[in-house]
Amino acid sequence: MSLIEQLRAQFPFYAAANPCHYLDNAATSQIHQQALAAMAGQEASRANVHRSPYRLAEASTHAYGEARARVARFLNAAANDEVVFTSGATAALNLVAYSVGETLQAGDEVLISAAEHHSNFVPWLRLRERSGIRLRVLPLLPDGRIATASLAELVTERCRLIAITHCSNVTGAVTDVAAVVAAARKVGALVLLDGAQQVQHGPVDVQMLGADFYAFSSHKCFGPTGVGVLWGRQAVLERLPPFMTGGGMVGEVSLESLSFAAPPARFEAGTPPVAQAIGLGAAVDWLMTLPWAEIHQAESALLARLLAGLATFPAVRLIGPADLARRLPIVSFEVRGIHPHDVCQVLGERQVALRGGNHCAQPLFAALNSAGATRASLALYNDAADVDALLAGLEDALKVLS
Ligand code: PMP
């Protein structure tokens, strides 16, 4: 069995009668069997966590803690308590915007980029409305990469936080994180990385990246929906106020006084997504066993095949860097004269699953002077037949629609 066949055999999706050519992995990936089984096992015999002394509750609490430890290993976190479970990347990014936001003064600056997904853009616009921070925005190069050369000019003494994507969900470009972290350190600013797209392409080393926060969603890395992670450097989390409040996140509460639990509990008010976190733990555990060098090679070969195929269509304009270095297999393109929704519709009828539109990144499309794009995003279980089906479907779409 080839590696791709071995991988596919582990996904219930590929056991279905007619799985489509699934190329919408940047929106959500398929779930791994281990994640599904772990979640079902937890739900079949469950108790709430952190509450009761009976055996079932202790088992739940233990499994939830084990899931946290697995995520910490996946990220190479310095401590398990640096991992906060949230409902997803969006919730993690909002958590930082609210909690760090509460510590900022009017006139303090937050730097983002024009490549951000709305979930790392809108929370900062709202913070600006609420507290008068100044929002600065790193521009894009013509090929959609973030112009990190502008860091020198845009990271001022008032910069308190740089919130930036690790990889764009539109262009596939991977950010030069080292340049961002170096610029932030010069002025004592924090760095938040939106890792939503990165995590399905292999384990991440937060210590090597050198940022202070890392956000991602489970459903984009072969785990269940409904859960995500905010990793935060322990010393940074410890000095932040909570975002959501309620049960499980307090120290002492009375009418007169209130104290908070230490992280991560401080940031996990209410009953957490226990089964989903356990499913995510199983997914990342599996991810850590994979031969990533081989997978990256296969992904790059497929990406090259797709880019070369798209280049043969004169009507196609690529949104994103054409070179393969520092890039993930996420490919967005315009088809001259045809709306992306129509391209996706025709391809959908041919069992090729793509996404079209502005991909929750309107500022990026405005910066690149584009009204929207069709996106193909590849994951470790995709093969040449998937890419070829896209290219053949596109040829048909051009015949039908132009
Ligand atoms: N950031 C990026 C770069 C994304 O691609 C996405 C999902 N499309 C998100 C954040 C938000 O993730 P979620 O919807 O899972 O919260």
Side-chain angles (χ1 to χ4, degrees):
M1 257 211 271
S2 71
L3 176 61
I4 302 265
E5 284 166 342
Q6 285 174 44
L7 293 171
R8 284 190 173 190
Q10 300 172 52
F11 283 82
F13 171 75
Y14 284 103
N18 288 306
C20 62
H21 295 286
Y22 189 76
L23 296 172
D24 197 16
N25 294 287
T28 195
S29 61
Q30 297 301 329
I31 190 167
H32 188 264
Q33 62 185 17
Q34 205 165 291
L36 207 52
M39 208 170 40
Q42 170 64 22
E43 290 289 60
S45 175
R46 71 183 183 191
N48 212 330
V49 291
H50 305 321
R51 300 276 194 279
S52 313
Y54 53 90
R55 211 157 50 182
L56 192 58
E58 284 166 357
S60 272
T61 301
H62 176 78
Y64 185 60
E66 190 49 39
R68 196 187 304 282
R70 289 172 174 192
V71 172
R73 279 199 295 277
F74 176 71
L75 295 173
N76 192 29
N80 296 348
D81 285 350
E82 294 188 334
V83 171
V84 176
F85 284 117
T86 66
S87 65
T90 300
L93 295 163
N94 274 275
L95 193 167
V96 178
Y98 276 81
S99 293
V100 172
E102 214 174 295
T103 69
L104 301 184
Q105 318 278 326
D108 282 346
E109 295 181 4
V110 170
L111 176 66
I112 58 175
S113 87
E116 300 312 310
H117 186 279
H118 292 165
S119 53
N120 195 33
F121 206 100
V122 181
W124 306 109
L125 294 178
R126 291 282 295 126
L127 178 62
R128 182 173 67 181
E129 285 173 6
R130 283 199 311 277
S131 42
I133 59 148
R134 177 163 184 193
L135 199 55
R136 289 185 180 262
V137 183
L138 278 165
L140 304 183
L141 299 171
D143 70 0
R145 282 176 301 150
I146 296 168
T148 39
S150 301
L151 282 164
E153 177 198 336
L154 294 177
V155 179
T156 72
E157 287 297 322
R158 291 301 302 266
C159 183
R160 299 289 176 258
L161 177 82
I162 304 180
I164 201 159
T165 191
H166 192 177
C167 167
S168 162
N169 64 310
V170 177
T171 66
V174 178
T175 305
D176 181 356
V177 172
V180 172
V181 170
R185 293 297 171 247
K186 273 192 199 152
V187 297
L190 297 169
V191 176
L192 161 63
L193 293 177
D194 173 359
Q197 292 301 334
Q198 189 71 37
V199 283
Q200 67 173 259
H201 299 285
V204 169
D205 187 334
V206 288
Q207 298 194 61
M208 208 156 80
L209 286 168
D212 301 286
F213 301 105
Y214 198 89
F216 71 93
S217 289
S218 151
H219 70 96
K220 292 192 208 277
C221 62
F222 315 108
T225 54
V227 68
V229 167
L230 175 70
W231 167 82
R233 203 178 285 284
Q234 195 152 18
V236 177
L237 288 181
E238 273 166 5
R239 58 174 201 258
L240 286 185
F243 165 34
M244 298 255 285
T245 56
M249 50 74 66
V250 292
E252 302 276 337
V253 190
S254 72
L255 266 182
E256 289 75 35
S257 69
L258 171 63
S259 67
F260 302 121
R266 185 185 303 166
F267 303 103
E268 294 184 358
T271 297
V274 178
Q276 291 89 336
I278 289 165
L280 169 60
V284 297
D285 237 19
W286 169 72
L287 283 173
M288 283 186 284
T289 66
L290 297 181
W292 281 104
E294 207 180 327
I295 291 171
H296 287 151
Q297 215 170 21
E299 282 183 348
S300 293
L302 274 192
L303 172 62
R305 188 183 187 98
L306 176 55
L307 292 177
L310 289 175
T312 65
F313 292 94
V316 166
R317 175 190 161 215
L318 186 69
I319 306 280
D323 67 272
L324 300 183
R326 304 193 63 76
R327 185 191 204 301
L328 292 183
I330 300 171
V331 178
S332 294
F333 55 94
E334 290 176 337
V335 184
R336 196 185 317 119
I338 305 178
H339 195 281
H341 289 167
D342 293 332
V343 176
C344 292
Q345 178 78 30
V346 174
L347 271 287
E349 284 158 14
R350 285 155 181 74
Q351 304 310 315
V352 181
L354 303 173
R355 189 170 162 201
N358 60 46
H359 307 283
C360 300
Q362 289 177 23
L364 178 145
F365 282 96
L368 297 179
N369 199 18
S370 169
T374 301
R375 181 182 72 188
S377 45
L378 312 177
L380 42 69
Y381 38 56
N382 287 123
D383 64 7
D386 294 327
V387 169
D388 294 350
L390 187 170
L391 295 171
L394 188 57
E395 205 166 320
D396 288 352
L398 278 161
K399 280 187 206 136
V400 175
L401 299 169
S402 14

